[in-house]
């Protein structure tokens, strides 16, 4: 009613301005207003003074509303932003909600409120009205938002499902109360991210609230970081007390907990049992209850009861000892899923159960005994950064399943990776290896010979050699030369005839090799590295197995090297090269 009366007053004011000149109208209006309080002076009673002040305040507020209305009308006629279609505006606002949330920022010795995307509501009246009318824009509550903005968003979101990010270390406790402390609001949460730096700083009451079912919950993310070796995990991670009832996406990331304090496979299995709609599961840093399965045969792993997860699309596991195979043997994964496994261990050797992984996953011969074809056309193999990485990709239309297996354990040599690849090949996962990434420290000695003898590697098309750019070591350069020399010179087979390694190789990538690597071995009478590289291409061409593409990264530092190799690849003259030594 007040808004309508104000609008009527404004319309009446506008009508009067059409009758009298603007200056005459406002002069007359101000004169009449002042005459209304002319008898009030500094000697008047307090009651009369307060009444006069209230009268003037009301008049000033009415004038401000009039000015805002006139400004909005004027801007609508001349401003381009006011003419942007509302559906386009809302799409832009939706991107801003994700990219620039409201937050507190540190400024010298205090925190200041940053409005983030909400600043668009201050641009013009039409933008503000559009933003306030779309309740979906107000359904995201970030971890460092203020309590006043939390209350505003809860109101403006209009009962929409909430996306909530809570950091128990930095979030305002009042914000946590408003979101988690009230069942009516907690039950509105569809995506919940909990960041807990120190368990001792969190009241046990919060954990009890989190154990209650959330009917709209679709995504739960727990980030647990603890510096105290004696800290225990939250009780809601124990069996039958995990708050993921019905959630289709679950992420549990455990940071600096001591090994024996990390969640065990036995604690995590209830996640599968209570979440049959699970589509995404990420478990980082988990362990087995104990390590008494080192000598356990494969039959023990295959005899576990399996929980079906028919909707699973993404599975990411990072576990120690035999945690990953122990978990895999208890779940049934669809063949369309994307799976990433990282194997970690405190010991310097591979856990025996890791070799069982190909038989525990759904793509191998053990799961499809009557299927002759492989699930994956090719395999991309990487040996770099002290991580042994294998990824398998599918070229079939529709869902693209992918499998990545890596290890972060230190002390492994190339032999473990080769053995694991041979097992995957025997289980009919792939037909050939299409690309290989190596670091120089892994490509010298018998390890590289064993790698180049892998089944399916004869069809390798792309070889990438990665050299750390921070510290260039001459030993790395020597290893690169050793590898290229191995690929350029034929090796004798069992019949005594020469066989060229990687006969299908077409593309060589050098990542991090300096453009001016100096003379080989550092002696001035030896050829430069770029001369050796051109010689490698020439020898491959002379044996009828030429390469057609060369890439040097970063390109801005390898212009001279790239230019010379490309010039050679475009010509048929191989006289400008030297002989590759048989022994380095």
């Amino acid at each position: 009613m007040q808004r309508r009366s104000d609008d009527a007053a404004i319309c009446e004011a506008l009508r009067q301005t059409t009758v009298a000149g603007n200056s005459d109208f406002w002069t007359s209006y101000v004169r009449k207003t002042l005459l209304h309080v002319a008898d009030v002076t500094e000697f008047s009673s307090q009651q009369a003074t307060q009444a006069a002040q209230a009268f003037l305040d009301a008049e000033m507020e009415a004038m401000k509303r009039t000015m805002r209305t006139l400004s909005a009308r004027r801007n609508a006629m001349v401003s381009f932003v006011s003419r942007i279609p509302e559906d386009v505006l809302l799409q832009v606002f939706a991107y801003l909600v994700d990219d620039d949330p409201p937050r507190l920022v540190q400024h010298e010795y205090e925190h200041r409120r940053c409005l983030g995307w909400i600043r668009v509501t201050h641009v013009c009246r039409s933008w503000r009205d559009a933003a306030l009318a779309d309740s979906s824009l107000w359904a995201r509550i970030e971890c460092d938002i203020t309590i006043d903005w939390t209350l505003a968003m809860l109101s403006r979101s209009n009962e929409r499902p909430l996306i909530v990010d809570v950091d128990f270390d930095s979030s305002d406790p009042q914000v946590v109360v408003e979101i988690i402390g009230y069942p009516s609001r907690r039950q509105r949460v569809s995506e919940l991210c909990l960041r807990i730096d120190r368990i001792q700083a969190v009241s046990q009451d919060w954990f009890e609230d989190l154990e209650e079912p959330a009917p709209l919950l679709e995504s739960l993310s727990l980030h647990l970081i603890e510096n105290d070796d004696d800290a225990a995990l939250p009780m809601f991670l124990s069996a039958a007390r995990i708050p993921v009832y019905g959630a289709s996406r679950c992420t549990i990331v455990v940071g600096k907990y001591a090994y024996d304090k990390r969640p065990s496979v036995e604690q995590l299995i209830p996640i599968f049992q209570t979440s049959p709609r699970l589509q995404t599961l990420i478990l980082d840093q988990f362990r087995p209850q104990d390590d008494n399965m080192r000598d356990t045969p494969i039959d023990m792993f295959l005899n576990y009861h399996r929980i079906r997860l028919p909707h699973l699309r993404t599975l990411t596991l990072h576990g120690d000892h035999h945690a990953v195979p122990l978990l895999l043997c208890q779940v049934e994964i669809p063949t369309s899923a994307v799976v990433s496994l990282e194997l970690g261990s405190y010991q310097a050797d591979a856990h025996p159960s890791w070799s069982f992984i190909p038989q525990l996953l759904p793509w191998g011969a053990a799961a499809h005994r009557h299927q002759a074809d492989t699930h994956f056309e090719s395999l991309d193999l990487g040996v770099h950064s002290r991580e042994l990485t294998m990824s398998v990709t599918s070229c079939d239309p529709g869902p693209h399943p992918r499998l990545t297996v890596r290890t972060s354990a230190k002390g492994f040599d190339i032999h473990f990776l080769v053995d694991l690849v041979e097992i995957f090949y025997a289980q009919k996962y792939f037909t050939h290896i299409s690309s290989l990434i190596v670091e120089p420290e892994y490509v010298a000695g018998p390890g590289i010979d064993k790698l180049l003898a892998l089944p399916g590697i004869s069809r390798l098309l792309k070889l990438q050699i990665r050299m750390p750019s921070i510290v260039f070591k001459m030993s790395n350069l020597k290893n690169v030369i050793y590898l290229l020399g191995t690929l350029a010179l034929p090796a004798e087979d069992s019949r005594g005839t020469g066989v060229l390694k990687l006969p299908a190789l077409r593309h060589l990538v050098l990542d991090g090799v300096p453009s001016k690597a100096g003379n080989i071995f550092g002696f001035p009478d030896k050829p430069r590295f770029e001369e050796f590289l051109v010689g490698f291409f020439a020898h491959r061409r002379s044996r009828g197995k030429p390469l057609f593409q060369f890439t040097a990264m970063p390109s801005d530092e390898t212009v001279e090297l790239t230019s010379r190799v490309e010039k050679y690849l475009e010509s048929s003259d191989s006289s400008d090269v030297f002989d590759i030594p048989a022994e380095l």
Side-chain angles (χ1 to χ4, degrees), residues 419-479:
D419 293 341
L420 190 59
V421 171
E422 289 178 341
I423 296 174
F424 274 99
Y425 183 81
Q427 287 291 318
K428 297 183 178 180
Y429 274 75
F430 64 94
T431 58
H432 67 276
I433 301 174
S434 60
S435 69
L436 171 65
I437 304 176
V438 296
E439 279 191 355
E441 60 182 297
Y442 295 106
V443 298
I448 188 61
D449 297 329
K450 188 173 182 180
L451 183 66
L452 296 179
L454 277 173
I457 204 169
S458 61
R459 295 170 60 183
L460 186 77
L461 298 175
K462 180 179 179 180
L463 171 64
Q464 179 175 345
I465 304 176
R466 296 179 54 178
M467 300 184 68
S469 57
I470 299 178
V471 179
F472 177 77
K473 298 180 180 179
M474 186 57 66
S475 60
N476 288 336
L477 183 59
K478 294 178 181 178
N479 289 344

Side-chain angles (χ1 to χ4, degrees), residues 203-394:
S203 171
Q204 190 64 31
D205 295 338
W206 296 127
F207 296 147
E208 294 176 358
D209 290 336
L210 293 172
E211 292 166 9
E212 298 182 8
L216 299 183
L217 188 66
E218 295 181 356
S219 176
L220 174 67
S221 180
L222 301 177
H223 295 258
L224 309 173
I225 302 175
E226 182 65 53
N227 295 318
D228 188 352
D229 289 345
D230 296 329
L233 285 168
M235 289 299 296
F236 61 67
L237 279 177
S238 60
R241 299 182 67 184
I242 302 175
V244 294
Y245 305 97
S248 59
R249 298 188 300 275
C250 180
T251 301
I252 298 180
V253 179
V254 179
K256 300 178 181 179
Y257 280 85
Y259 173 78
D260 59 344
K261 303 298 182 182
R262 296 173 182 172
S264 66
V265 175
E266 291 75 9
Q267 288 177 306
L268 297 173
I269 285 298
I271 292 179
F272 306 106
Q273 296 172 333
T274 58
S275 302
R277 296 190 301 112
L278 202 62
Q279 298 178 12
T280 300
L281 179 66
I282 301 174
L283 300 177
D284 189 12
Q285 301 288 1
F286 68 101
R287 61 178 180 85
Q289 191 71 35
D290 51 55
D291 193 28
N292 59 359
M293 301 182 69
R294 172 163 287 274
D295 299 322
T296 303
I298 180 62
D299 293 341
M300 292 293 295
F301 286 86
L302 295 176
N303 289 333
Y304 272 92
H305 171 71
R306 292 202 167 199
I307 303 170
R308 293 188 69 251
L309 298 175
H311 303 287
L312 192 66
R313 298 177 180 176
T314 302
L315 177 64
T316 302
L317 304 177
H318 179 194
D320 294 303
H321 296 298
H322 64 282
V324 170
L326 182 61
L327 194 147
L328 289 176
C329 72
Q330 299 182 62
V331 294
E332 186 175 321
I333 304 170
T335 56
S336 59
V338 174
V339 178
S340 178
L341 310 177
E342 183 167 345
L343 311 172
S345 176
Y346 291 115
Q347 303 173 357
D349 58 342
H351 196 279
S353 65
W354 292 358
S355 62
F356 301 156
I357 289 177
Q359 299 181 63
L360 301 176
L361 291 170
W363 299 289
H368 301 273
R369 301 183 185 278
H370 303 293
Q371 182 173 317
D373 298 334
T374 58
H375 279 273
F376 305 102
E377 179 182 349
S378 62
L379 177 147
D380 300 323
L381 183 61
V383 190
H384 55 90
S385 300
R386 288 191 175 183
E387 292 185 0
L388 310 180
T389 304
M390 181 182 67
S391 62
V392 182
T393 57
S394 171

Side-chain angles (χ1 to χ4, degrees), residues 549-565:
Q549 188 175 356
F550 171 73
T551 304
M553 301 183 295
S555 58
D556 56 342
E557 297 180 5
T558 55
V559 175
E560 180 182 347
L561 179 62
T562 304
S563 175
R564 184 170 181 185
V565 173

